[in-house]
Each structure stands twice: as C-alpha cells, then as structure tokens.
Amino acid sequence: MTMYEIITQKKRNAELSTDEINWVVAGYTAGSIPDHQMSAFLMAVCFSSLSDRETADLTMAMAHSGEMIHLDLGGYSVDKHSTGGVGDKTTLIVSPIVASCGVYVPKMSGRGLGHTGGTIDKLESIPGLNTSLSFEKFIENVRSAGLAVSCQTGDLVPADKKIYALRNVTATVDSIPLICSSIMSKKIASGADGIVLDVKVGDGAFMKDIADAEKLARLMVNVGESVGRKCSAVITDMSKPLGRAVGNSLEVIEAIEALKGNSAKDLYEVSVKLAAEMLYTAGKGSAEYCRGLAENAVSSGAALERLRKMIELQGGNAGVIDDYSLFPQAKRKKEVFAAEDGHICGISCEKAGLVSMKLGAGRISKDAAIDPSAGIVFDKTVGDRVKKGDRLAVLYTSSECDIDGIADEFADIFHYGEKSDVPEEKNVIKIIKGY
Ligand code: URA
C-alpha cells in the first residue's frame, strides 16, 4: 500500500477499505505520511467525498489514534458540541443548567476557528480561570460541581489535532465527512454516555444550507449510535449572530445575564432546547418535562450557582458574576449608527465574525494572542425597525487596530428593507434523533 495509490483511488472516487483508512490515519499521526500527501488526500475527499462506511471508519481510526477515556463517574454524563458559530455562548449557559439538574457534563472544548468563536477563549477572559486541567482534576471537578470545561487533554485524538491544523490552511474544512470525523472522533474518545450535537446552519456556520446541515447531523448521529453512544442533533439557526454579544468577555457577560434571567429570545430558545435535549438523553423524563427542568434551573438561580462553583474550582475569580468590571476592560470603543430608515432584514453573520476577529477577539494567524475585551455588542438585530442615526452596535478593542476602518466595514453588514422583507425567525429548525 502506498499513499500515492490511496490518493489516486480517492481522486477516482473509489471506496477505500477499513485497512486502507486505518493505515492513512496511523501513518499521518506517526509522521510517516508527509503533509503534502495528506493535503492531496484531504482535497480528494472534498471533491469525491466518502461513503458513510468510510466516514465511520475514518472517525474510529481517528478516535483510536490516542487515549480513549473511560469516565467512570457513577452517573449519566452528556456532552454537547456545536459545529461552530458567531456569538455562540450556549455551552456557558447549557452546561450549568444540565449539571444543576443532576446530570454530569464533562465538557472538552476548543478554541476559536476562523470567524467562529471557541468556548476556551471565552472562559479564559475570566481572570485566573484555568482551562488546561489535568485529567484527574477534570474528573474531580465534574464529580464535585457536576461540570468542568477544559481543553482537550494531551493525548486525546492526536490525529485530529494534526489533520485539523492541515485542513485549516488547505481550504479543506467545509467537507461533511471531514467535519463529522473531526467532531465525532473527539466526542467518542472523550467518553460521555450521551452526545447532543448543535448543528449550526446559515451564513455564519460552516453549513450554509439546511440540506447539508441535515446530512451532517444524520451522519454524526449514526456514527455515534454505531458505537453505542446515545446521540441526537439539534439544527439551529446561524443566519445572524446568536444573542447580542460577539467576543470573549462580552459573551461570558451575556451568558451570565442569561443565567440571571435576562436573555435575548433567540439565545434563550436555543439554550433551553439544547439543555432539555441533554436532560432527555440522560433519561430525566419527557421532552416537555425536561424543558420545564431547564427553565426552572434558570429561574431558581440554581444554574448560575453551578457556574459560580465551576469558575471557583477552575481557579477563576467568581466575583465576575456580580461585578463585570472585574473582566479585562476594552481601552477603545466605537459606536456604529444606522445609515438609513427601515427594518433590519439581514445581518451578514460570517462578516460579523470576521469583524470581531479583526478587533482582536479571534486569531488572524495561528499563534496570535486573543484580546479578551474585544468584540461587538449589538443594540439592534434582524426584525428591528430603525431610524437613520439610531445606534446599531458598539465595537470594543484594546488593540491598535484601525477601528474606524473596521467600523465602516461593519456598517455594511446590515441589510435594510420593508417589514415584509424580514425573514420569519426560526431559532431551532429540526431535531434528529438516533434512538
Ligand atoms: N469543529 C471541529 O471540531 N471540527 C471541524 O471539522 C469543524 C468544527
């Protein structure tokens, strides 16, 4: 078997055997297959795709490339994973809700990718908070608070670490089988009993249309179920930023406000639906009963207290919950105003993510530092009626970026029209169950 032959087969859309897929993953992880051949293989997959059987084989080969975690918590555990979006702070809301209802949430999260944000970058805006927990400390915290959110431990799915970095620079990210194998290999290796996937669809997501989002959701659910995990996928809207804040500390503040009962409607709907789905997966009762549990966890303040405990156990200053001035404060801000009268009938979501990145909330290059204070807070969103001169949003940064130029670019992301041009709001689009 040679990599040249495998690339040629995939280029001609031939189906690879399980042994061939295992050989590619093992060889690339060990370093015997070079980046240039793996890049050609990934591009061939982008054009020819993989069958469902090949995708499942690739996922399992990647999952087994490193440590497979056995959680052994003595109670049901559920993990949740989003395919990536703009303003997506749901992990910070959903995990404490579910933990406060008696279900363990061992959450290994990632950093921002391209225009999309990452939970680890958001949490690191809390002074002192450690996101690099050892496996022992991670489990100890989950046992004690019901939840912990950490970066992946060192030897978890090394194949994905290498392949993802390569995909990021070879324009091979937005492939359904590659996204499925990347996400599900990590979820399967990290050991939770149940998995709820938040598959984002729309301009700000990797999946731009519902047919593709549904295909990805079904594929991920089938792969998870085929190895004995209880899986479901919630397809949610990412045609506009979720909630009102985009950026790290800004999103943590918005999540805390949501747990205090002050949430934007779209953020509340998506968060409660995901939390209820996780509780349902854990066997806590009917869908309706689980929704009630999730809502009660917010209104009673129980979920907020779980978040406080999680922050304390990870070494963070939990005082941020009561005093937002303890977060790093932006040195510069710029208000952006409506250019005309009308209804906002669209916001270019991917561009909003890119603007936030340019302000410093994301990484322009692989090793760039994050500005925890940077980002956007929207005053107006899709459906709102505005008059010329109304404030639309405030941009924040502590960097020396060209904030005026960025603000001009940002003003163009708003699309105006008549009331009849405003699309119907649908936050949760579909649920796909594997069980
Ligand atoms: N998130 C991942 O972890 N992997 C992908 O390929 C896309 C989103």
Side-chain angles (χ1 to χ4, degrees):
M1 201 181 308
T2 68
M3 193 58 181
Y4 183 90
E5 287 165 326
I6 295 210
I7 297 166
T8 307
Q9 282 191 63
K10 209 14 77 195
K11 183 177 75 174
R12 296 187 179 147
N13 206 6
E15 197 162 339
L16 300 175
S17 69
T18 307
D19 284 350
E20 284 168 328
I21 291 173
N22 288 342
W23 183 83
V24 170
V25 172
Y28 185 60
T29 310
S32 56
I33 294 172
D35 281 354
H36 57 267
Q37 284 192 312
M38 192 62 181
S39 306
F41 173 75
L42 293 169
M43 193 53 89
V45 169
C46 283
F47 283 109
S48 300
S49 199
L50 295 179
S51 68
D52 291 1
R53 199 270 306 150
E54 287 176 299
T55 307
D57 284 348
L58 178 62
T59 307
M60 293 316 289
M62 287 168 67
H64 285 284
S65 66
E67 199 183 340
M68 296 285 283
I69 293 178
H70 297 286
L71 287 168
D72 200 15
L73 287 163
Y76 203 89
S77 59
V78 186
D79 200 349
K80 168 233 159 225
H81 193 93
S82 155
T83 55
V86 179
D88 181 9
K89 67 281 294 172
T90 54
T91 292
L92 303 173
I93 302 169
V94 166
S95 309
I97 292 179
V98 173
S100 73
C101 296
V103 175
Y104 290 121
V105 187
K107 181 88 187 75
M108 294 208 183
S109 288
R111 297 187 182 277
L113 293 171
H115 70 280
T116 68
T119 303
I120 294 299
D121 293 331
K122 298 179 216 257
L123 278 175
E124 286 180 353
S125 70
I126 299 175
L129 192 136
N130 178 14
T131 57
S132 300
L133 303 178
S134 66
F135 180 62
E136 292 68 32
K137 178 75 179 147
F138 179 69
I139 293 296
E140 188 188 313
N141 287 9
V142 174
R143 285 215 172 94
S144 156
L147 78 161
V149 183
S150 174
C151 295
Q152 278 167 29
T153 61
D155 195 36
L156 201 84
V157 200
D160 183 62
K161 277 196 196 114
K162 280 191 85 175
I163 295 173
Y164 198 89
L166 194 61
R167 286 169 60 211
N168 218 5
V169 291
T170 53
T172 51
V173 172
D174 56 351
S175 145
I176 290 175
L178 295 181
I179 295 177
C180 171
S181 55
S182 166
I183 291 178
M184 292 310 290
S185 59
K186 289 178 286 207
K187 296 294 105 181
I188 291 166
S190 55
D193 303 308
I195 302 165
V196 172
L197 300 153
D198 178 6
V199 179
K200 301 276 180 209
V201 62
D203 180 65
F206 292 120
M207 294 297 106
K208 306 287 183 203
D209 67 61
I210 302 221
D212 279 348
E214 206 170 321
K215 200 163 155 196
L216 174 62
R218 282 192 197 285
L219 197 54
M220 290 198 291
V221 165
N222 289 345
V223 170
E225 291 276 328
S226 72
V227 292
R229 305 300 165 86
K230 225 171 148 188
C231 278
S232 63
V234 184
I235 300 180
T236 64
D237 180 56
M238 194 33 72
S239 63
K240 63 177 171 53
L242 185 63
R244 294 300 175 107
V246 182
N248 298 297
S249 63
L250 300 172
E251 289 190 43
V252 180
I253 293 169
E254 188 176 23
I256 294 170
E257 280 297 310
L259 291 176
K260 289 179 180 171
N262 310 316
S263 179
K265 186 170 152 273
D266 59 344
L267 180 60
Y268 183 80
E269 273 309 310
V270 172
S271 302
V272 165
K273 188 75 208 173
L274 288 169
E277 190 58 31
M278 288 169 80
L279 293 168
Y280 183 80
T281 304
K284 283 283 174 185
S286 69
E288 205 181 319
Y289 181 74
C290 289
R291 185 178 173 102
L293 285 179
E295 293 192 314
N296 188 47
V298 176
S299 58
S300 67
L304 184 67
E305 288 319 303
R306 285 299 166 136
L307 180 68
R308 190 187 300 277
K309 190 156 182 199
M310 184 201 105
I311 295 173
E312 280 165 359
L313 288 177
Q314 294 193 211
N317 182 353
V320 294
I321 287 181
D322 309 303
D323 180 359
Y324 301 145
S325 73
L326 296 173
F327 281 101
Q329 300 295 305
K331 294 196 175 76
R332 303 163 70 203
K333 64 179 193 173
K334 174 105 190 157
E335 298 172 304
V336 178
F337 300 97
E340 52 190 274
D341 291 354
H343 278 84
I344 299 178
C345 54
I347 293 179
S348 300
C349 190
E350 181 171 357
K351 284 192 185 143
L354 290 170
V355 162
S356 174
M357 194 166 126
K358 286 182 192 170
L359 290 165
R363 287 175 193 80
I364 298 215
S365 63
K366 207 169 136 246
D367 301 315
I370 290 277
D371 171 359
S373 68
I376 308 163
V377 177
F378 288 85
D379 295 301
K380 303 286 181 200
T381 188
V382 175
D384 287 343
R385 162 138 187 85
V386 293
K387 286 218 227 37
K388 186 174 174 184
D390 282 353
R391 196 172 81 175
L392 297 175
V394 184
L395 310 184
Y396 295 90
T397 185
S398 293
S399 78
E400 293 307 313
C401 64
D402 171 18
I403 196 167
D404 294 329
I406 294 174
D408 289 343
E409 197 183 311
F410 178 74
D412 290 340
I413 74 168
F414 291 89
H415 308 289
Y416 302 89
E418 302 297 325
K419 193 170 184 190
S420 55
D421 300 325
V422 174
E424 190 196 339
E425 182 165 11
K426 202 146 193 241
N427 303 308
V428 175
I429 295 160
K430 200 167 191 166
I431 301 196
I432 289 167
K433 298 235 187 234
Y435 52 93

